[in-house]
Amino acid sequence: MMRRMLSMRDVKTQDLESLTPEAITALAAQMLQHIQHQANELQSKGRELDLKQKLIERKDRDISWRDAKLEKITFELTRLKRWKFGAKSEAMDAQQRQMFQETLLEDEADLEAQLAALQAALPKTAAAPKATRKQPRRQALPDHLRRVEHHHEPESTACATHDCGQQMTRVGEDVSERLDIVPAEFFVHRHIYGKWACRCCQRQGIERLVQEPADPQIIDGGIAASGFVAHTLISRFVDHLPYYRQVTINARSGVHTPRSTLAAQSGRAGAAMTPLYEAHKRFVLSCPVLHADETPVAMLDPGAGKTKRAYIWAYARGELDAQQGVIYEFCLGRGSQYPLAFLGGVGGTRGPPRPDDEAAWRGTLVCDQYAGYDRALDRRVYPQRIAAHCAAHARRKFDELVGTSEVAKEAIKRIGWIYHVEGQFQGMDAQQRSVARDQLTRPLWAELHVWLRLERGRVPDGGSIAGAIDYSLNSWVALTRHLEDGAVPIDNNFIERQIKPWAMGRRAWLFAGSELAGQRAAIVMSLVQSAKLNGHEPWAYLRDVLERLPGHPNNRIDELLPHRWTKPDA
């Protein structure tokens, strides 16, 4: 008997009672087989779903990691750009950012490369069209640089078109410039002095010899010209290269310059510039507004076999003055006798106070609240001297507490408003600035004063925020001195920027070899830094001064001061 496999549809159309036992068994087997097949399919799909779920989870983790990485890199890049282009802050001002410029550029390029690599791995999506980004305009190379032209023309200027071959016409050109450098070139000045004798007189037994006298030199009997001496001083006191490094650099050009020779040249040059330094000091002290600050430097103490602390005192004409100049003084300490002696009118270590001395400086001294200035600013002895304290120092006290005090945050905000308005006064003369301050910043200072006094009553004595508020309130008259005189700047940041070369230098040469060496460094750096303030190239200024000093009349020494010096015609 033939057996016929019945489907589920057949079961619905037939009466189960009419089926034979064999047919029911076959149908049951078929149904079990179908169920097993579906179970296998479900199990297979379950495994596929598990694999897909694991793949999705892994992709989610990858996406989360990539997003976190993108966020971190974007944050780092934003922070770098904020350091590079952001506004001034106490944590890192513009001058400090300049010191880290190379590292910032390297880090920025590194982060941008990482960001580009991560973005390239992201799925491609249709992005909104971006506005055309303007290419940064590259600063033109200076016109005074020597140009070496390289002409590039086709080998053949005949037309390559088939059956033409006519000579082509030049219709224009594209010019690109690339900056190159040749290492410093040493050269020798050969001075040939002709000797002239009269033969006629010789025949009569008379010796007559004529020869042009040698020009006076900054270093008599030496081989160094003024340009080389200036180069040594600039390398030492501007580029902060110790003598042993200069020896190595010069040796690459085949020139042997022992350290002893370089040191001797600098010593003689410093001594020769002392009269110019004294004249420059008189010029700086002729300003009615004066900045003052000090910074420590190490000085070698051979007897003790170690270094000891000395100080550079810096004084500069007012930042808002039309003529600029800075003077440094190397001192063995930080006591009040040093500004007393420098500003004149007192003996300091030279004698009793002489307030009626005509040489005593008179005016407004912009400084911090260091007690060393108090004796030099004593109104009972010097009624024509006034103190103007630094708003940046007051702000700094609050800036140190920003992370822990809401009062400090509010103080920083209020002082920031004042600085923002003060920045709009650039280019004004003293009278215009005074009127503008009366109208715009005086009310802000008054509000700040009221607010500080109110907050001082709310904070406990002895705390950090109480100390920051007291720092401002206890010297409020001096802190707001600039409101009474448009020639007085709001802070002392100008002189702090002039001290930066010493901070950079002490990292390179580590210490001054002696008190005399410190004084010599103060002489050179005073003149060089003042030349930079007046827009002069340091080497050009120093070279010309060293060349002219030996034969320059002492009564005309002021002609060589940085603010009066003009570059000689080539």
Side-chain angles (χ1 to χ4, degrees), residues 315-383:
Y315 305 87
R317 292 171 67 93
E319 181 181 10
L320 305 176
D321 196 276
Q323 293 180 320
Q324 293 294 314
V326 61
I327 193 86
Y328 303 111
E329 186 180 34
F330 185 86
C331 301
L332 296 181
R334 198 190 179 203
S336 60
Q337 68 269 27
Y338 299 107
L340 277 171
F342 187 88
L343 296 177
V346 297
T349 58
R350 301 174 298 182
R354 300 189 306 275
D356 57 340
D357 190 344
E358 294 182 358
W361 172 79
R362 296 170 171 84
T364 302
L365 186 68
V366 185
C367 57
D368 54 30
Q369 297 185 31
Y370 170 51
Y373 298 105
D374 291 347
R375 287 180 59 194
L377 294 170
D378 189 343
R379 297 299 302 276
R380 296 169 298 179
V381 182
Y382 310 104

Side-chain angles (χ1 to χ4, degrees), residues 276 280 527 541 544-550 552-553 556-566:
L276 187 60
H280 184 58
L527 297 172
Y541 168 75
D544 183 63
V545 166
L546 292 176
E547 188 171 357
R548 294 165 60 182
L549 263 179
H552 197 81
R556 292 168 48 197
I557 195 71
D558 289 358
E559 296 176 1
L560 300 181
L561 292 176
H563 72 285
R564 295 187 60 184
W565 180 80
T566 56

Side-chain angles (χ1 to χ4, degrees), residues 23-39:
I24 293 175
T25 302
L27 180 59
Q30 185 181 7
M31 292 178 65
L32 289 174
Q33 185 178 3
H34 179 72
I35 292 172
Q36 183 64 37
H37 179 70
Q38 287 186 334

Side-chain angles (χ1 to χ4, degrees), residues 107-118:
D107 291 349
E108 184 178 352
D110 189 350
L111 291 172
E112 286 180 344
Q114 294 184 45
L115 189 61
L118 288 172

